[in-house]
Amino acid sequence: MSHRQVPRTGRILATLTTVVACSAGLLASTGPASAAPDAHRTAARPGTAADSTADASEGAQDGARAYPNLAPRPPMGWNNWSYYTCDVNEKVVLDNARALARNGLADRGYDTVTIDDCWMAKQRGPQGELVADPAKFPHGMAYIGRELHRLGLRFGIYEDVGTLTCGKYPGSYGHFEQDARQFAGWGVDYLKADGCNVPRPAGRTKEQSYRDVYEQQSRALLATGRPITFSVSAPAYFQYDGDSVWHQVIEWSAKLGNLWRGGRDIALEQQSAATKWSSILYNFRYNAKLNGLQRPGRWNDPDFLLVGDSGLSRHEMQSQMSLWAMMAAPLISSTNLAELSPEAREVLGNRAIIAVDQDSLGRQGEVVAQNDGFTVMSKRLRNGDRAVALFNSGDTPRTLSTTAEAVGLPASSSYWMRDLVTGRGRHSDGKIAARVPAHGTVLYRITARS
């Protein structure tokens, strides 16, 4: 992990001259892998403000207060960035929000609608306040919040802890408390804070500079009194600074927020199907290695689900959904939900796979076998079951196999294996095997029978 980081804007403009790059995180060219909550939210699903609890066991370093646990399960929802980039406006946001409510995905947990970069005017207002772009959002952001809450959804928004966002809009640097109060006043429930254009004061290292500003953002959100789930992007800016530094940044990010972007951005809708698949594979591989740094309520985030993007096959969409569920990753769709195909809706809405992701034990799955062409993962679930993924990353079908012992199941004379895609079940004496299509994943939930 020693590759020089390349800021998002430069990377995307170098490859997609028609796309303005301006969202969270980075694209690296090489490398491996004070408003109170709304009353209607009192019955919100786990992970929302309604069932938030302080994570008092966490001792933040250097006097920083540990952020409350507002996401006991991985967040779920929608973000415009990967599909729309800067072509975001009021209609795009509300059309996708209404699609979430209409197609049943909101009822399955996809309840947070987040507006990414490029939503604001290039200049702050006369009192130093953030101003929504009046052409894109003519009714303003408080209106968006009210409309989302009326649909039973949560409101997420993007900012940057630097002087400017990645798209060169006003950052929160020097305005953390003011912006946090403004977000709370708009009814914001979720903040994604990017890390472009972070100044480095004299005598401070890059890591210290990032930690300083993210601590300020964290404290400012706490001071509003509104429970705002906090997504930290700091680790994405250290993926190529060496594992020890990268992992240290993840550790303090877990004290300051609820989830964190770990590395490279997922591909954009405008890119080729091959690029999208390569991006999914890359993000899976780097995130799978971070399982020791994640813990229940504090989530590694390998970026958006591309399920529904043009060009991805059913097997590729299913693989991303299954692997993200195995990693207890946030399930945040970034596509045009109003035009979602039936098969993409089926993949995103698979209750059995969502249950693996949202399992209350909160474990990230572990890799038990892997080479260049396949991965076997195992994830312990609350009731003692194991979720087991057989992932064929190669370009031809192959039979993959493992055993109950290898994936951590207790000894038993019989096991019940249920395929979470087909719903079919069968008995096993302990052998776990399947013929897996190219770029496909077979995901089992396995129970030891007494």
Side-chain angles (χ1 to χ4, degrees):
M1 294 295 181
S2 59
H3 299 78
R4 182 178 64 86
Q5 289 180 304
V6 181
R8 161 174 282 201
T9 303
R11 259 297 273 161
I12 299 178
L13 288 176
T15 56
L16 294 170
T17 57
T18 60
V19 178
V20 179
C22 44
S23 183
L26 357 156
L27 281 168
S29 58
T30 58
S34 71
D38 298 282
H40 79 277
R41 305 211 57 75
T42 56
R45 74 174 178 91
T48 64
D51 83 334
S52 64
T53 56
D55 198 350
S57 63
E58 294 184 31
Q61 298 175 354
D62 300 335
R65 178 181 169 190
Y67 205 73
N69 184 7
L70 303 179
R73 292 183 174 88
M76 297 175 64
W78 176 87
N79 179 299
N80 66 275
W81 177 254
S82 183
Y83 191 88
Y84 296 95
T85 58
C86 283
D87 293 329
V88 61
N89 56 50
E90 183 176 292
K91 185 177 187 303
V92 164
V93 173
L94 295 181
D95 281 355
N96 278 277
R98 290 166 185 142
L100 271 182
R102 183 176 63 250
N103 64 23
L105 290 176
D107 290 338
R108 299 192 183 188
Y110 295 89
D111 65 357
T112 301
V113 171
T114 300
I115 304 170
D116 214 287
D117 204 351
C118 310
W119 61 264
M120 63 185 94
K122 287 286 188 177
Q123 302 294 328
R124 288 178 175 268
Q127 305 303 316
E129 74 276 14
L130 293 170
V131 178
D133 184 319
K136 293 180 178 180
F137 295 93
H139 294 95
M141 286 300 168
Y143 168 78
I144 296 290
R146 289 193 299 272
E147 287 298 294
L148 294 177
H149 292 158
R150 186 178 62 80
L151 290 167
L153 301 172
R154 304 175 74 227
F155 179 21
I157 204 163
Y158 167 102
E159 241 295 3
D160 195 290
V161 295
T163 56
L164 297 169
T165 72
C166 299
K168 308 304 182 184
Y169 294 83
S172 281
Y173 190 84
H175 296 266
F176 291 112
E177 292 183 0
Q178 181 180 22
D179 291 356
R181 288 194 300 269
Q182 193 167 8
F183 295 149
W186 288 344
V188 166
D189 305 295
Y190 180 107
L191 174 66
K192 175 182 176 181
D194 210 341
C196 278
N197 304 303
V198 172
R200 186 190 296 186
R204 304 294 282 174
T205 66
K206 174 186 172 183
E207 184 196 350
Q208 289 169 335
S209 300
Y210 271 78
R211 182 164 182 170
D212 288 346
V213 291
Y214 275 101
E215 284 183 348
Q216 291 180 62
Q217 181 68 83
S218 183
R219 288 195 301 268
L221 293 175
L222 286 172
T224 69
R226 182 176 180 85
I228 299 175
T229 302
F230 186 23
S231 173
V232 174
S233 292
Y237 290 86
F238 292 83
Q239 186 182 7
Y240 302 106
D241 288 21
D243 282 359
S244 62
V245 175
W246 187 31
H247 294 176
Q248 183 169 303
V249 173
I250 292 174
E251 287 172 355
W252 57 251
S253 294
K255 296 180 174 70
L256 301 180
N258 305 119
L259 63 155
W260 49 89
R261 282 290 318 287
R264 185 193 294 186
D265 287 7
I266 207 78
L268 302 176
E269 191 277 338
Q270 296 91 340
Q271 294 176 291
S272 69
T275 298
K276 291 174 189 175
W277 174 246
S278 178
S279 176
I280 290 169
L281 187 59
Y282 177 93
N283 283 25
F284 162 67
R285 286 176 171 166
Y286 86 66
N287 196 73
K289 297 175 182 178
L290 302 177
N291 65 300
L293 297 170
Q294 180 259 39
R295 59 188 182 276
R298 307 286 164 155
W299 311 106
N300 291 317
D301 181 6
D303 213 4
F304 308 127
L305 293 172
L306 300 184
V307 176
D309 272 2
S310 58
L312 289 174
S313 72
R314 170 65 184 260
H315 292 314
E316 290 167 343
M317 291 191 294
Q318 187 63 66
S319 282
Q320 191 189 17
M321 180 71 180
S322 298
L323 295 171
W324 265 231
M326 288 294 292
M327 295 188 296
L331 300 180
I332 301 173
S333 170
S334 188
T335 190
N336 182 354
L337 295 173
E339 297 182 4
L340 202 61
S341 69
E343 68 176 8
R345 185 161 55 249
E346 185 178 343
V347 171
L348 282 173
N350 186 310
R351 293 182 187 275
I353 294 178
I354 291 172
V356 170
D357 179 79
Q358 298 285 295
D359 184 76
S360 62
L361 193 60
R363 294 293 185 89
Q364 179 169 326
E366 298 179 359
V367 173
V368 297
Q370 186 175 55
N371 71 14
D372 288 341
F374 76 90
T375 303
V376 177
M377 294 188 79
S378 174
K379 178 178 179 177
R380 184 157 69 92
L381 305 176
R382 172 65 70 183
N383 71 342
D385 288 356
R386 288 273 176 165
V388 176
L390 307 176
F391 170 43
N392 177 11
S393 55
D395 296 331
T396 58
R398 66 191 303 171
T399 298
L400 298 179
S401 63
T402 186
T403 65
E405 181 182 13
V407 301
L409 282 159
S412 177
S413 60
S414 177
Y415 301 88
W416 179 252
M417 299 171 45
R418 183 162 70 95
D419 185 319
L420 299 187
V421 175
T422 67
R424 292 192 291 267
R426 62 183 175 87
H427 292 283
S428 170
D429 62 2
K431 183 178 181 180
I432 303 164
R435 185 72 172 169
V436 186
H439 298 184
T441 301
V442 173
L443 182 58
Y444 291 114
R445 185 170 184 138
I446 305 176
T447 305
R449 296 291 179 89
S450 55

